[in-house]
Amino acid sequence: MTAVPSQKLLAIPGPIPLSPSVQQSLALAPLSHVSPEFVKIFQESLHMTREVVKADASSTAFILAGSGTFGWDQVGANLIEAGDRALVLRTGYFGDGFKECLETYGAQVDVIKSALGGAVPLNEIEKALKQAQTISSKKAYKMVTITHVDTSTGVLSDARAIAACVRRLSPNTLVVLDAVCSVASEDVQMDAWGLDVVLTASQKGLGAPPGLSILVASQRTISAFENGIKRGVKSGSFYSSWQKWLPIMRAYDQNKPAYFGTPAVNLVRAYHASLLEITKGSVSLSTRLSLHIASSDLIKRTGERLGMKQVATEPAGRAHGMTALYVPEIPGVPLTAADVLACVGKRNVVMAGGLVAEVKDKYIRIGHMGWSVVGNEGSDVRTVVRVLEESVLEAIALAKKRASAVVSARL
Ligand SMILES: Cc1ncc(COP(=O)(O)O)c(C=O)c1O
């Protein structure tokens, strides 16, 4: 076998580098999706998924082939009936996607948009919920969606406080958490916080390659779905339909084979390997979260020392698995995100550019999740810090040179 060529260190907010055991599991030949060996792997994966989001066995976990976006689609297709109202709390680019998805299934969506880099203020959420209730109980929101960490801004929302507010003011409203960029890098307590749906994906804190949509639905959510079915509501999609997938997930959950569409057996095996590390490895889940906080602090401090402001403005509202940093603003020195990223690339590291349209060229995003934080005794994080420092200083020097060349050409 030829050796796999060495790659640049991936320091984007997902996909992330894989642990050796996850990587090795990917090299194995496919298993039959109905073999006892695979059924056991799937069962354990469903159970460990619930463990990571702190949900008990009354909830239902879904592991389906698809990316994080497919979680939005499952919510839209199975929980939205045409005309239902939804409230989307938007803290960046990904709130827009969720809104569009829910509208595709006929939802009337209200959006509360935070200021760039901020979270949605709780009093605005309260106001919207009260207003919806006063119109008529039929007009209450079917769901409120929260992006736990918006990967475009690095803003961390206080899911616990928002869920408590929704439960208090609009008890029948489902609380849906887009936790694509937070599961296993932030604390997520599905049951204790009263979340109804936690949807995520394999390629970020969960430490597997992209390709799996992972969703946990509370009993309340499944009841809401099943009540719809009893009233004759049909899922708006064939592949997303929980009418198709629920019996399959329930069977696997009980260690029994079942079929609707072939599961992504190799990805599930890789995900299982990662879940074993997260839930039963030498680093406990709580230590894992502390390591994310420590790495995040180090990277954020480094950026600030280099004159880079954080996109996420509030200290308590900053993600721990990623960092979004504006490039330094130096009068007379035109510096863009692309300038910094080019210097980063020269050092065999990949960081990401901006995603929020109005400031897209002014900031970079750095991922520090999963194996990059927990593995290799932190050496990836140290590399990221060194490369960030060197690259920003080099990019500034190059931009200064360019600026002075322009001045001399004019003279
Ligand atoms: C917060 C959030 N939600 C949803 C998505 C969509 O996930 P995917 O790109 O896996 O479809 C992403 C992707 O990065 C994300 O960060």
Side-chain angles (χ1 to χ4, degrees), residues 42-355:
F42 208 116
Q43 182 197 34
E44 289 176 0
S45 301
L46 293 169
H47 293 184
M48 288 189 284
T49 298
R50 287 201 292 255
E51 192 179 333
V52 174
V53 302
K54 304 192 175 91
D56 72 17
S58 67
S59 58
T60 305
F62 296 79
I63 302 172
L64 301 177
S67 72
T69 303
F70 186 48
W72 297 344
D73 212 64
Q74 290 180 63
V75 169
N78 295 293
L79 298 172
I80 291 293
E81 294 171 37
D84 276 349
R85 298 184 70 203
L87 180 65
V88 169
L89 308 179
R90 183 208 187 269
T91 49
Y93 176 91
F94 290 97
D96 297 336
F98 209 166
K99 169 183 185 275
E100 194 184 340
C101 175
L102 297 180
E103 284 173 344
T104 304
Y105 291 99
Q108 288 175 24
V109 182
D110 293 335
V111 178
I112 311 184
K113 189 174 169 180
S114 68
L116 175 60
V120 175
L122 216 48
N123 61 354
E124 290 188 30
I125 303 169
E126 282 177 3
K127 202 168 120 198
L129 291 170
K130 281 182 188 159
Q131 248 168 21
Q133 292 280 17
T134 48
I135 301 172
S136 120
S137 67
K138 285 214 177 100
K139 282 287 170 196
Y141 290 112
K142 176 75 171 280
M143 67 179 62
V144 171
T145 75
I146 309 162
T147 313
H148 200 191
V149 169
D150 196 295
T151 319
S152 67
T153 53
V155 169
L156 170 70
S157 289
D158 187 345
R160 185 209 320 232
I162 298 170
C165 167
V166 177
R167 282 289 163 110
R168 185 165 48 84
L169 295 174
S170 188
N172 294 326
T173 299
L174 299 173
V175 181
V176 177
L177 189 71
D178 174 344
V180 170
C181 195
S182 68
V183 172
S185 61
E186 308 288 348
D187 191 21
V188 177
Q189 299 193 30
M190 182 159 176
D191 289 349
W193 298 352
L195 305 172
D196 291 297
V197 174
V198 172
L199 66 92
T200 186
S202 45
Q203 76 273 18
K204 301 196 197 243
L206 285 169
L212 293 179
S213 161
I214 295 144
L215 184 148
V216 184
S218 68
Q219 210 170 20
R220 232 163 72 103
T221 304
I222 297 299
S223 299
F225 163 71
E226 287 177 335
N227 289 339
I229 300 295
K230 280 186 207 139
R231 282 185 281 108
V233 180
K234 288 223 157 38
S235 171
S237 154
F238 183 69
Y239 185 66
S240 295
S241 170
W242 284 353
Q243 253 183 306
K244 306 286 183 198
W245 287 117
L246 252 181
I248 310 301
M249 294 303 129
R250 283 178 175 154
Y252 276 119
D253 206 346
Q254 289 159 22
N255 205 20
K256 292 183 197 139
Y259 173 78
F260 170 53
T262 308
V265 285
N266 293 56
L267 289 178
V268 172
R269 213 177 199 184
Y271 176 49
H272 179 261
S274 188
L275 283 171
L276 281 177
E277 287 176 349
I278 294 170
T279 62
K280 294 169 182 52
S282 54
V283 176
S284 70
L285 182 54
S286 71
T287 305
R288 178 174 283 260
L289 297 181
S290 305
L291 286 171
H292 279 80
I293 292 173
S295 307
S296 169
D297 287 350
L298 182 62
I299 290 167
K300 287 173 172 64
R301 274 202 311 273
T302 306
E304 283 178 354
R305 216 177 43 243
L306 292 163
M308 306 175 89
K309 287 195 187 118
Q310 292 189 50
V311 176
T313 46
E314 297 301 319
R318 291 173 177 154
H320 301 102
M322 65 162 292
T323 300
L325 294 166
Y326 288 111
V327 298
E329 261 186 63
I330 306 169
V333 182
L335 191 62
T336 65
D339 296 330
V340 173
L341 293 176
C343 296
V344 168
K346 278 197 266 178
R347 290 167 174 80
N348 278 329
V349 173
V350 187
M351 295 177 187
L355 256 187

